[in-house]
Amino acid sequence: MISGSSVRYEKLPTSENYDEQGSENLEEEVTVFISQSLSPQHKVRQRRGTWVRLAVALLLLGLALGFVICEWRGCLSEEDGLRGSTAAPGHSGTGPKQKGHSHHHDDDDDEEEEDHDHHGNSEHHEHQHPDLYHHGVVITDSAICSRIGKGILEEGGNAVDAGLASLVCLGVVHPHATGVGGVFSAILYNSTSRTHKAIRPISHGSSSVAYGIPAALQGIKQLHSLFGHCGWEKLFSGAAKLAKDGFQVDQALADALISNREKILESNLCDLFCDGKGSVKVLGSTVANQKLAELLQFVSQDGSRFPESLAVKLAEDLPPTERQGFVENVQRCGVEINDPLIVETEEYSVYGATSPLSNRIISDVLGKVGEQNLLPWNNADFNSSASTYVSLLTAAKLIYNDNLAKENRSVEDLLALNPTGSHIGVLDGAGNVLIISSSLNSPFGSKRLLPSTGVLLSDVSPHPADDVLLWSCPLIVKFKHDHGDEDHDHGDEDHDHDDDDDGDDDDDDEMLAVGVTGGPSAPFVAAQIIASKVRGGKSAQDAATGPLLRLETGSSGSFSGCVSAVTNGTDVYRLLLEKEGRLEGVVRCPDSTLALMLQAHAEHVGAYGAPAALAHADGY
């Protein structure tokens, strides 16, 4: 007998416990383990070893569970590493970033598409859409304003809420192009009622030749009261914070500051846009507008007496003789909401918040392109297409001259205008679409900053509505489901077909939203984008990013053109020399045309724009 020992019994199976057929033998074999008692030191070491082994086991178990969960949720996939911020196809790493997503398909009958990166086997593969989103998307010419608009969508707001919040934001970060002192026009598609509404600015005169009557906030109030979903104050919170805390000068504002340096230094704009040394601020500098922040905060909290309270606030800095007329005009300004103008064809319909003149130009250009097959953008080599660009320019000259003659206006006078603007495109998860074009008419408007409110007044003419609608073209294009396959089958690589069929013909129609702003050539550029999609068979992205011919006024008032395009994420420009019939590289086109396109298909929404440096899409 061993003193101080302990005994444990355990049954152990052996090979003899089972017969050849696998039946269990009733006999059992008993093994006895005898262990000698350990000293206290040994017991301490044994307990330590036990705890160490237990900790290691728990760590390994945790790692194993982590891998299982990650594998289940797909966080180890290659695509998910790109989920946070992926450049759109054709955009370089230095271009505007767009957030992407990846998802799975279990059907091995799905066709591979040109803009999908496929991974895995035929029974289960993943593909990534770096420029597409599942729920909603906002695109503007400011990355931070697109982000604010997307945030509104994520918090339950609709397309109108997101678009208006982005518009207020642009008035803070891009004061050279838009703001409280300006106006805007828009096209709205309501997916519930399946109706299109044109939003056009209305104005009733001006108190001075030096500035125009602002209508932006009045229009925002009208749209929100009719179509908005989120709280009124939420439209202003993001913009007010930027104005108060300061924002960084982006490339668009930096370029405008450089181009208008002398005018800024000679005006009170220097209070905002000059540094301590009296020099105009540069890219990356911080700008804060405390007075504008206070105004936005005031407006967001005072809905009962709006726009009277706004008018009185803005009039504080005007000469006493002008205040009464200014207040009356501000109260009467806003937007009118009507049925859109329509360009109807057998294949598609174009709904626009444009002027009758712009609408006629769009219709005539689309007809001429189809009649003469003027599709130079089908050829990637600009120079080899120069002759076609000359023909397109000649057609544009005739179309503009004929239509302007009916209004006793000349092409030279029209192209002498120097408008600037911002654009906003929103497509929400319910299928609602809003395209907004906003402007101060020319860079930094009247160059007059109101000290009490931080508002930069526009230099819009006494009756701005007609001229504003010449430089802005918010459009929605709806393709008819029964049109010929020859024009609709080209776009498969970009999800141009809507395969959902719930029995309603309207749901079978493909819809695109197009926005062009920034100059008198806007309707001409808009028509080219539509023609590129319909006649040229281009994807939505390729149609929006060019090549696009813009109209220019050359030396001695001649009519010329400039071609713009996005190549590998870089904006490329070519000046069309009409007499020589060739294209010559330039730094940029003189006009400030901005173009965007939104597309919805099945589970995806996409947004594209040009110039690439001013196309910032953000979605989820």
Side-chain angles (χ1 to χ4, degrees):
M1 183 151 183
I2 302 175
S3 175
S5 63
S6 61
V7 179
R8 180 168 59 88
Y9 298 88
E10 181 180 354
K11 295 178 182 180
L12 296 177
T14 65
S15 59
E16 287 81 14
N17 293 128
Y18 299 91
D19 58 22
E20 294 180 358
Q21 285 75 29
S23 61
E24 185 175 354
N25 194 306
L26 296 179
E27 295 182 2
E28 294 180 345
E29 179 177 277
V30 178
T31 301
V32 179
F33 292 93
I34 301 176
S35 60
Q36 189 173 1
S37 297
L38 301 175
S39 65
Q41 293 83 358
H42 289 168
K43 289 181 179 180
V44 172
R45 286 195 294 268
Q46 187 182 54
R47 282 196 295 269
R48 287 178 179 172
T50 301
W51 282 111
V52 170
R53 288 191 294 272
L54 179 61
V56 172
L58 290 175
L59 177 61
L60 293 175
L61 178 61
L63 290 174
L65 288 175
F67 277 108
V68 171
I69 292 172
C70 275
E71 182 66 24
W72 174 59
R73 297 184 64 180
C75 63
L76 294 181
S77 63
E78 179 182 354
E79 289 81 358
D80 213 24
L82 302 174
R83 193 186 304 267
S85 179
T86 305
H91 287 224
S92 68
T94 58
K97 297 295 183 180
Q98 297 178 332
K99 296 183 179 180
H101 68 269
S102 60
H103 58 96
H104 303 274
H105 288 278
D106 294 321
D107 186 357
D108 59 354
D109 293 331
D110 287 345
E111 294 182 1
E112 292 190 357
E113 298 170 346
E114 290 182 9
D115 58 343
H116 290 179
D117 295 328
H118 295 277
H119 303 279
N121 55 39
S122 61
E123 293 183 357
H124 181 81
H125 64 269
E126 299 178 8
H127 62 264
Q128 179 205 0
H129 309 277
D131 52 354
L132 299 177
Y133 308 89
H134 275 306
H135 304 290
V137 65
V138 179
I139 182 170
T140 76
D141 44 305
S142 163
I144 193 169
C145 294
S146 296
R147 186 160 62 249
I148 285 176
K150 182 196 73 169
I152 295 290
L153 292 180
E154 289 181 309
E155 295 173 8
N158 60 22
V160 172
D161 298 321
L164 295 180
S166 300
L167 177 60
V168 177
C169 172
L170 285 168
V172 174
V173 303
H174 283 176
H176 65 287
T178 182
V180 172
V183 294
F184 70 89
S185 61
I187 184 79
L188 171 65
Y189 173 71
N190 187 323
S191 64
T192 302
S193 61
R194 291 175 185 158
T195 57
H196 303 79
K197 293 298 180 183
I199 295 98
R200 301 184 179 97
I202 54 174
S203 182
H204 296 276
S206 172
S207 300
S208 170
V209 295
Y211 55 85
I213 301 299
L217 283 178
Q218 302 92 304
I220 289 173
K221 181 65 175 177
Q222 288 177 255
L223 283 185
H224 181 264
S225 62
L226 291 172
F227 306 109
H229 178 70
C230 71
W232 168 249
E233 68 283 352
K234 201 166 191 61
L235 302 181
F236 299 88
S237 58
K241 181 175 176 58
L242 287 171
K244 179 181 179 181
D245 298 342
F247 60 91
Q248 288 190 334
V249 175
D250 63 9
Q251 192 64 60
L253 179 54
D255 290 343
L257 291 172
I258 294 173
S259 300
N260 296 271
R261 179 178 175 276
E262 295 302 324
K263 295 179 180 179
I264 292 171
L265 293 175
E266 296 171 357
S267 69
N268 68 343
L269 290 178
C270 202
D271 296 341
L272 281 183
F273 303 117
C274 293
D275 57 23
K277 299 179 180 179
S279 300
V280 172
K281 292 184 177 180
V282 297
L283 179 67
S285 301
T286 299
V287 175
N289 191 338
Q290 299 294 335
K291 292 299 182 180
L292 181 57
E294 293 173 8
L295 176 69
L296 296 178
Q297 187 70 19
F298 167 79
V299 169
S300 70
Q301 296 175 350
D302 183 17
S304 60
R305 296 179 57 244
F306 187 90
E308 294 90 344
S309 56
L310 170 67
V312 172
K313 278 276 186 182
L314 294 176
E316 291 179 3
D317 295 314
L318 299 181
T321 56
E322 296 183 3
R323 291 177 186 173
Q324 182 177 353
F326 181 85
V327 170
E328 292 175 354
N329 283 328
V330 170
Q331 290 179 271
R332 297 164 60 194
C333 284
V335 295
E336 56 182 8
I337 302 173
N338 295 314
D339 292 334
L341 298 176
I342 303 175
V343 175
E344 193 80 44
T345 74
E346 294 182 356
E347 300 165 317
Y348 57 88
S349 300
V350 181
Y351 303 85
T354 61
S355 69
L357 172 60
S358 293
N359 208 54
R360 291 195 303 268
I361 291 173
I362 292 172
S363 179
D364 291 349
V365 172
L366 287 171
K368 188 67 67 174
V369 167
E371 177 186 322
Q372 299 184 8
N373 193 31
L374 300 176
L375 299 172
W377 47 85
N378 278 333
N379 194 324
D381 184 358
F382 288 0
N383 288 323
S384 65
S385 302
S387 60
T388 311
Y389 281 117
V390 171
S391 299
L392 185 62
L393 180 61
T394 301
K397 289 169 62 175
L398 293 174
I399 291 171
Y400 269 76
N401 279 319
D402 289 345
N403 283 285
L404 287 170
K406 299 175 183 178
E407 301 188 5
N408 296 319
R409 304 183 68 171
S410 68
V411 174
E412 289 74 15
D413 291 340
L414 183 67
L415 295 181
L417 299 175
N418 184 31
T420 186
S422 286
H423 59 188
I424 301 164
V426 186
L427 199 161
D428 66 19
N432 300 304
V433 181
L434 180 66
I435 304 292
I436 301 176
S437 295
S438 174
S439 178
L440 288 177
N441 198 47
S442 64
F444 294 101
S446 63
K447 317 297 186 298
R448 181 172 184 174
L449 184 69
L450 301 181
S452 299
T453 58
V455 171
L456 181 60
L457 291 177
S458 178
D459 57 344
V460 177
S461 63
H463 300 285
D466 292 339
D467 286 342
V468 166
L469 292 174
L470 285 175
W471 55 249
S472 67
C473 290
L475 307 168
I476 290 178
V477 184
K478 198 153 191 180
F479 298 94
K480 299 176 181 178
H481 69 281
D482 58 349
H483 69 72
D485 293 334
E486 68 274 10
D487 289 329
H488 202 62
D489 289 341
H490 311 288
D492 287 346
E493 72 274 9
D494 199 38
H495 293 292
D496 290 341
H497 295 289
D498 191 342
D499 297 326
D500 291 345
D501 186 4
D502 61 1
D504 194 305
D505 288 344
D506 285 343
D507 288 343
D508 292 334
D509 292 349
E510 178 192 0
M511 184 176 66
L512 298 172
V514 178
V516 183
T517 187
S521 60
F524 180 50
V525 171
Q528 292 177 71
I529 292 175
I530 297 171
S532 180
K533 183 72 177 66
V534 178
R535 298 294 179 185
K538 294 294 185 180
S539 67
Q541 180 180 10
D542 290 341
T545 56
L548 298 169
L549 178 62
R550 309 178 187 187
L551 304 180
E552 306 292 345
T553 301
S555 58
S556 68
S558 62
F559 203 51
S560 61
C562 183
V563 182
S564 65
V566 179
T567 303
N568 295 325
T570 303
D571 298 311
V572 179
Y573 304 95
R574 296 286 188 273
L575 182 65
L576 176 61
L577 303 180
E578 184 176 357
K579 293 181 179 180
E580 293 83 358
R582 61 187 178 86
L583 296 167
E584 183 178 89
V586 292
V587 175
R588 65 183 60 186
C589 293
D591 80 338
S592 56
T593 301
L594 305 175
L596 65 85
M597 180 179 285
L598 296 174
Q599 180 184 38
H601 171 78
E603 298 180 352
H604 301 105
V605 294
Y608 319 95
L614 297 178
H616 301 277
D618 206 344
Y620 68 110

